[in-house]
Amino acid sequence: MNSELEEARETLENSLTLSLQIFPKRHVKIAKIYEALGSMYLDLEEYEEALKMSQECFEICNDLFKNPSSQTISCMKMLGSIYSEKGDYEKAKCTFDKSFELAQVLFGEKHPMIADIYFRIASIFEEQSDYSEAIKSLEKALEIYQGVYGSEPNCNVSAIYNNMGVLL
């Protein structure tokens, strides 16, 4: 592991240690640190640690919020990404589908978080060589992003066009 990643890990772990002294274990600040740790471990390809941190984030959010929250959905998307990276596409798809349902309740049909979930689902279809379903998911994501951002340049739209170009 390079020194920058080691420093990031130490910083996040210090943040968690200090925050646990300040806040109760079931606090949104603690959940966000677990989410950041999960993301860092995912980047390091330490999937079991990433899963552990992201599950802790999800459990805290479930305890804190009686209704779906953007934080809960974000934790679920992270879990789906970890399952996908581990090659457990069925579990990833199931997790993304659940996060999609919750996001629809919270945000409606035409929200960037919905588009992001479509984008993540497309990557699962791509990994399973189901390119027509991947394209359909990317098209749905593109439609939402274009509706939200119009003709403004957007990195999400660019990524979708890139992925569609690779798949076509």
Side-chain angles (χ1 to χ4, degrees), residues 16 18 23 34 37 39 52-53 58 60 63 70 72 92 110 115 117 129 131 135 140 162-163 167:
L16 179 61
L18 289 171
F23 302 106
Y34 278 121
L37 281 163
S39 178
K52 181 179 161 186
M53 297 296 132
F58 178 72
I60 292 170
D63 288 349
S70 60
T72 305
K110 304 294 183 186
I117 295 168
S129 300
Y131 303 121
I135 291 287
K140 289 175 183 176
N162 180 70
N163 285 18
L167 293 173

Side-chain angles (χ1 to χ4, degrees), residues 1-2 5-6 9 13 37-54 78 82-83 85-86:
M1 177 181 346
N2 71 34
L5 289 175
E6 183 58 38
R9 180 195 313 241
E13 288 174 353
L37 281 163
S39 178
M40 184 205 59
Y41 283 119
L42 178 60
D43 289 343
L44 292 170
E45 298 179 0
E46 293 183 28
Y47 302 126
E48 293 310 312
E49 278 300 307
L51 197 54
K52 181 179 161 186
M53 297 296 132
S54 296
M78 178 63 70
I82 295 165
Y83 293 133
E85 288 296 317
K86 287 179 66 173

Side-chain angles (χ1 to χ4, degrees), residues 10-105:
E10 287 177 24
T11 302
L12 286 169
E13 288 174 353
N14 285 339
S15 175
L16 179 61
T17 299
L18 289 171
S19 295
L20 285 169
Q21 294 171 13
I22 300 166
F23 302 106
K25 186 172 190 234
R26 298 297 194 216
H27 192 279
V28 70
K29 298 275 188 191
I30 303 298
K32 288 182 181 206
I33 296 168
Y34 278 121
E35 184 179 22
L37 281 163
S39 178
M40 184 205 59
Y41 283 119
L42 178 60
D43 289 343
L44 292 170
E45 298 179 0
E46 293 183 28
Y47 302 126
E48 293 310 312
E49 278 300 307
L51 197 54
K52 181 179 161 186
M53 297 296 132
S54 296
Q55 285 172 329
E56 188 65 33
C57 173
F58 178 72
E59 288 171 17
I60 292 170
C61 289
N62 259 356
D63 288 349
L64 290 176
F65 308 112
K66 294 187 189 301
N67 296 316
S69 72
S70 60
Q71 185 70 32
T72 305
I73 296 165
S74 183
C75 292
M76 290 182 76
K77 290 187 334 181
M78 178 63 70
L79 286 166
S81 295
I82 295 165
Y83 293 133
S84 181
E85 288 296 317
K86 287 179 66 173
D88 191 344
Y89 302 120
E90 186 175 321
K91 205 173 233 184
K93 177 79 167 56
C94 183
T95 304
F96 286 137
D97 286 346
K98 183 65 178 167
S99 67
F100 182 84
E101 291 170 18
L102 294 176
Q104 280 185 311
V105 169

